[in-house]
Amino acid sequence: KTFVTNDSLILKSTAAGTARVASLPVNGAGVATAIITGKVSIERYVPMRNAWRLLSAPIDSAGAPSLNASWQEGVTTASSTPNPVPGYGVYVQGGSVANGFDQGLTSNPSVKIFNNASNSFQGLPASPGTSIPITKYPGYFVFVRGDRGINLLQGTSAAITPSTLRMKGKILTGNVTSTVNATGYTVLGNPYPSAINFETLTRTNVRNGFYAWDPQLSGNFGLGGYVTASWDSIGGRYDFTASVSPVSQHIASGEAILVQSADSITAGTIVVKETDKTTGGSDFVFGRTNGFNQQVRVNLLSANSNGSNTLIDGILTSYDDDHLNELTTQDAKKLTSGSENIGIKRQGKMLAIERRKTITTSDTSYLNIYQMKLGNYKLAINAKNMNLTNTVAVIKDNYNNTINNMPLDMNGATEIPFSINSDPASYATGRFSIVFNPAAVLPVSFTNVKAYAQQKEVVVEWSTSNEINLRHYEVERSADAVNFTKILTTAATANNGAAAQYKIADAQPLNGSNYYRIKSVDVGGGEGLSKTVQVNMNLPKEAPFVSVYPNPVVGKTIAIQFGNVAKGEYKAQLFDALGQLVTSKTIQYNGSNTVQSFEVTEKFAAGKYELQITGKGVKLVTAVMKR
């Protein structure tokens, strides 16, 4: 039961996957009875992305190599060959050449370690620098832009490439015990060259949840953000806040996470065992299958100028009869990243995941946005099974009355666009909240709203239930989902508590984004709003034309009407049936619908003529008849 590596075994990691050491048999004391002797080279492939990664060093501290010998490939930028093996290694900045740091346009630290005293990450100490054993710290925040082949002197213009980080040492086997700080956070590095299942770890006074770093989140200036995982003992599952990477309870080989003690008073312990190894997890965290009963997920998105959205951060509230409407260990605190954040404020605490009792009457979720920047954003609110609670929900906006009281889809997605400007009220932390009330407060329920393109029109359809005492419906349209204008009105058809279906066509939609919502107006003047739906129209530009009226022409004056023609100077020429020029005129067209007069003073006999209009890169021709 002894495997001798002769220091030649390599656990490869590529874009296709990562090699692992499977579960080894252990004795009653948790010591592996299958022995691996000699050193092993362990690789961690990092996909191409300019971002931070939270990494671990899964080797034994006895005889461990230095950080420089591992992730810097044993060289620095001062070496004669700073990139000895293309495709491998990473630059480590933040100190002097003498202490093993690479030099570039900036001296900002590109490797950080967790400071338990300040409860935050800080730059790797400048002394002794990168000569420390790579196992000195349980995890490292590493900024990976590419391998050691990129040019640091190009700064942010340097290439972004994939890279493979590696270290060589004796691998850890058997039980591995880690202490969890009494207060604050603790970095827990995966000690094995294999993915492990956080759910099966042996935890003593440690909260059953963790914080993983997702390098694909756009928070922290697009360089990654935290994802919160929290065990729901009622639902029997882990809940996760917003992520782009496939984050799960499986911690990948070479990954580190943040954990907390359960009571935040006394220290705890975590024992990672051979049986915790798993084939699950993902190499690209550097799928999740979530069950749910009733939940509301709110994602904070940046609304980009090209029309796309970028996920920044997210929160989650789950509802169950057995949850409590007070802070418990079931609720997960918010761990703030360096960029825009969203959280749930409850009893003075900021939460990433909140557990609440099933809503039966009224309830409020107090959203908090902070560290916001000037620009355009969206709240993407996704409700699951909330329609089963017999309640309705609206978004409350203390700044923008247009958004305020917008109804939410209780079993689907609702996007709330908003902007941050120089007005402090626009970036007030408590600007938004979600308010739930019994469904009976609304006179009508919109069971379905949709809009779709049909040739050059947009068809808007909606269905209702519980239609009582309604006067009519108004179809409202917007180009930005904020400022709406009524475009169509139709009378209510049921009004006896029954369901109804409606269908209306917008014959003149906007070119580009069209947002529609339905307003219900009852006999007492009360109003209700449906959710907002979007249709993108790429309408063909009408061809320019010119027409003459009346045609045939009476007298000597030709009335010319331009259509879809740019304003500017045009030359009008009238030719007879033999192609001879009769007369010409320069027209200054101002782009309006006004009629342009063209008087023919020369001989203008009855017959057929051709009018040519040229200018602004177009040539328009029309026939003219003279009586």
Side-chain angles (χ1 to χ4, degrees):
K1 295 184 178 180
T2 299
F3 179 78
V4 181
T5 69
N6 290 322
D7 296 347
S8 299
L9 177 62
I10 301 174
L11 298 180
K12 296 292 294 182
S13 180
T14 67
T18 299
R20 58 185 288 267
V21 175
S23 242
L24 301 176
V26 297
N27 60 23
V31 177
T33 55
I35 309 301
I36 298 177
T37 64
K39 295 180 179 180
V40 177
S41 182
I42 302 171
E43 296 186 351
R44 172 70 268 167
Y45 175 80
V46 179
M48 183 171 63
R49 182 174 175 83
N50 185 28
W52 291 91
R53 269 81 176 183
L54 189 49
L55 305 177
S56 67
I59 57 176
D60 196 324
S61 59
S66 68
L67 189 152
N68 174 268
S70 304
W71 291 341
Q72 289 178 280
E73 292 291 311
V75 295
T76 69
T77 48
S79 304
S80 58
T81 308
N83 181 31
V85 185
Y88 285 82
V90 68
Y91 287 109
V92 178
Q93 297 175 264
S96 66
V97 172
N99 288 330
F101 289 94
D102 295 301
Q103 306 299 302
L105 293 181
T106 176
S107 59
N108 293 334
S110 61
V111 171
K112 298 181 179 181
I113 52 93
F114 194 74
N115 185 321
N116 292 325
S118 64
N119 203 38
S120 63
F121 282 93
Q122 65 181 32
L124 183 73
S127 177
T130 67
S131 63
I132 60 169
I134 197 167
T135 54
K136 181 174 177 62
Y137 300 99
Y140 298 85
F141 243 140
V142 183
F143 184 71
V144 183
R145 185 181 184 88
D147 65 8
R148 293 189 62 84
I150 67 173
N151 186 352
L152 279 182
L153 296 179
Q154 291 179 343
T156 56
S157 299
I160 301 174
T161 68
S163 181
T164 299
L165 308 185
R166 57 184 175 177
M167 62 194 71
K168 190 171 186 178
K170 181 181 177 181
I171 66 171
L172 290 167
T173 60
N175 292 357
V176 179
T177 301
S178 299
T179 300
V180 177
N181 299 330
T183 60
Y185 303 96
T186 301
V187 176
L188 175 71
N190 181 353
Y192 295 147
S194 168
I196 58 174
N197 187 352
F198 187 85
E199 182 178 355
T200 62
L201 303 185
T202 301
R203 295 176 300 274
T204 303
N205 192 37
V206 175
R207 188 177 68 84
N208 193 359
F210 58 91
Y211 300 89
W213 184 262
D214 182 353
Q216 296 196 70
L217 277 175
S218 70
N220 208 24
F221 306 101
L223 307 179
Y226 288 108
V227 177
T228 304
S230 179
W231 176 257
D232 181 355
S233 61
I234 306 300
R237 65 184 186 274
Y238 283 99
D239 287 327
F240 297 83
T241 54
S243 64
V244 179
S245 305
V247 178
S248 73
Q249 72 265 29
H250 300 130
I251 312 305
S253 173
E255 182 185 6
I257 58 176
L258 293 175
V259 295
Q260 295 174 288
S261 71
D263 60 10
S264 297
I265 299 173
T266 56
T269 59
I270 287 182
V271 181
V272 185
K273 310 173 296 298
E274 289 286 342
T275 53
D276 297 324
K277 291 179 177 178
T278 176
T279 57
S282 171
D283 282 334
F284 296 97
V285 170
F286 292 95
R288 178 170 85 237
T289 301
N290 242 16
F292 60 84
N293 293 321
Q294 294 159 352
Q295 64 180 28
V296 176
R297 184 181 299 277
V298 183
N299 290 339
L300 176 63
L301 311 175
S302 65
N304 305 320
S305 58
N306 62 1
S308 66
N309 300 318
T310 303
L311 177 62
I312 299 175
D313 196 14
I315 53 178
L316 174 71
T317 304
S318 64
Y319 299 88
D320 194 282
D321 291 344
D322 293 328
H323 288 155
L324 299 175
N325 286 347
E326 58 187 56
L327 289 180
T328 70
T329 56
Q330 287 281 296
D331 302 304
K333 295 179 181 179
K334 180 71 180 180
L335 182 55
T336 302
S337 67
S339 189
E340 301 100 316
N341 284 260
I342 185 170
I344 307 169
K345 193 72 171 288
R346 188 73 67 181
Q347 297 178 21
K349 303 293 185 181
M350 195 68 69
L351 304 176
I353 296 178
E354 183 179 25
R355 305 277 167 41
R356 303 280 289 172
K357 290 188 74 68
T358 302
I359 299 176
T360 56
T361 55
S362 298
D363 197 26
T364 301
S365 288
Y366 299 96
L367 310 183
N368 268 221
I369 54 173
Y370 48 106
Q371 298 178 190
M372 304 298 290
K373 302 177 178 64
L374 300 183
N376 297 318
Y377 297 88
K378 288 182 180 179
L379 294 179
I381 303 175
N382 198 317
K384 299 290 187 181
N385 284 347
M386 296 302 293
N387 56 321
L388 303 179
T389 64
N390 196 33
T391 60
V392 293
V394 296
I395 188 76
K396 290 288 186 178
D397 185 348
N398 294 328
Y399 179 71
N400 189 332
N401 287 330
T402 304
I403 299 173
N404 191 39
N405 289 320
M406 182 181 292
L408 305 181
D409 190 327
M410 298 297 281
N411 190 34
T414 307
E415 284 194 346
I416 310 293
F418 69 99
S419 298
I420 301 296
N421 54 46
S422 58
D423 186 345
S426 76
Y427 53 83
T429 56
R431 172 177 170 177
F432 295 104
S433 60
I434 299 176
V435 176
F436 298 86
N437 283 304
V441 301
L442 289 182
V444 65
S445 296
F446 292 95
T447 57
N448 182 45
V449 180
K450 64 181 179 179
Y452 53 91
Q454 191 171 80
Q455 295 181 344
K456 296 181 180 181
E457 298 182 337
V458 171
V459 177
V460 183
E461 296 183 6
W462 68 97
S463 304
T464 65
S465 63
N466 192 38
E467 192 175 273
I468 300 174
N469 295 327
L470 279 185
R471 177 178 292 148
H472 65 263
Y473 294 97
E474 298 175 359
V475 179
E476 298 182 336
R477 185 183 67 198
S478 170
D480 57 8
V482 176
N483 301 298
F484 283 85
T485 302
K486 179 177 70 175
I487 60 170
L488 297 164
T489 301
T490 187
T493 59
N495 262 327
N496 56 0
Q501 292 80 40
Y502 298 88
K503 182 177 180 179
I504 285 182
D506 179 5
Q508 294 181 314
L510 306 173
N511 194 25
S513 294
N514 290 259
Y515 296 89
Y516 297 91
R517 69 184 186 189
I518 313 302
K519 178 189 288 186
S520 62
V521 181
D522 63 32
V523 294
E527 298 177 348
L529 285 175
S530 74
K531 71 175 183 179
T532 301
V533 293
Q534 179 185 7
V535 176
N536 287 319
M537 295 292 288
N538 294 315
L539 299 173
K541 186 177 181 181
E542 297 289 345
F545 66 90
V546 63
S547 61
V548 173
Y549 68 91
N551 198 3
V553 175
V554 178
K556 293 187 176 182
T557 300
I558 301 174
I560 304 172
Q561 180 75 53
F562 286 172
N564 302 316
V565 175
K567 66 180 180 179
E569 183 178 285
Y570 293 86
K571 184 176 183 180
Q573 295 176 297
L574 187 67
F575 296 90
D576 62 20
L578 298 176
Q580 296 175 333
L581 180 63
V582 176
T583 187
S584 64
K585 178 183 179 181
T586 298
I587 297 175
Q588 293 293 337
Y589 176 55
N590 63 6
S592 69
N593 292 325
T594 57
V595 175
Q596 307 296 318
S597 296
F598 185 8
E599 186 171 349
V600 183
T601 58
E602 291 80 0
K603 183 179 180 181
F604 193 17
K608 183 177 181 180
Y609 295 81
E610 181 180 272
L611 177 66
Q612 292 185 7
I613 307 293
T614 56
K616 303 298 288 185
V618 298
K619 180 178 181 180
L620 308 173
V621 179
T622 188
V624 178
M625 297 299 297
K626 172 66 169 66
R627 286 180 180 173

